[in-house]
Amino acid sequence: MDFSAVLLPSGDFTIGKTFTFEAGHRIPGLPDEHKCSRQHGHSYEVEVVLTTASLEEPGFVTDFGALAPFKEFLNNELDHHNLHEILPFEPTSERLAQFLAGWFVQNLQPAIPGRLVSVLVRETRASWARFTVEGQ
């Protein structure tokens, strides 16, 4: 087969990378009888999704290694902390996803190719929240 004969369609390229950290939290704004008002912990998974219409050499949206500062932030600032004690908001997965998207856009995106599309925060295998970034 002549592989050079394959026509490449136009479109966008998208990548994702998953990071993990361990943290505890409670949701102080919930009634006392709600289980999430009590201290508990999660093995969080955080997935960032980036996109671009054109690739950087040698053919990347962005080099996965360029995302290391995000992992460092998770490790240094959130890992093994009580999130309700350090974050300026109720530490729901939804708000955590939005916060992490904001940190990424402010601190990492200016230095890398690609545009952040979304951040997904998974508390358990069955429970997650996604924040989709608008207007970048």
Side-chain angles (χ1 to χ4, degrees), residues 106-120:
Q106 183 176 339
N107 293 283
L108 190 54
Q109 185 162 289
I112 63 171
R115 176 184 65 81
L116 183 68
V117 173
S118 64
V119 174
L120 183 137

Side-chain angles (χ1 to χ4, degrees), residues 43-115:
S43 295
Y44 286 95
E45 287 186 5
V46 177
E47 178 180 314
V48 295
V49 177
L50 291 92
T51 191
T52 189
S54 60
L55 299 176
E56 297 288 316
E57 289 300 326
F60 292 152
V61 170
T62 194
D63 187 335
F64 287 118
L67 303 178
F70 185 70
K71 177 61 175 163
E72 291 172 20
F73 172 74
L74 296 175
N75 287 346
N76 295 336
E77 303 299 330
L78 302 182
D79 189 52
H80 284 81
H81 283 83
N82 284 319
L83 300 181
H84 62 279
E85 294 176 355
I86 62 171
L87 296 174
F89 52 83
E90 298 265 354
T92 63
S93 291
E94 295 87 343
R95 289 185 170 144
L96 183 57
Q98 182 184 32
F99 170 78
L100 293 174
W103 187 93
F104 191 101
V105 167
Q106 183 176 339
N107 293 283
L108 190 54
Q109 185 162 289
I112 63 171
R115 176 184 65 81

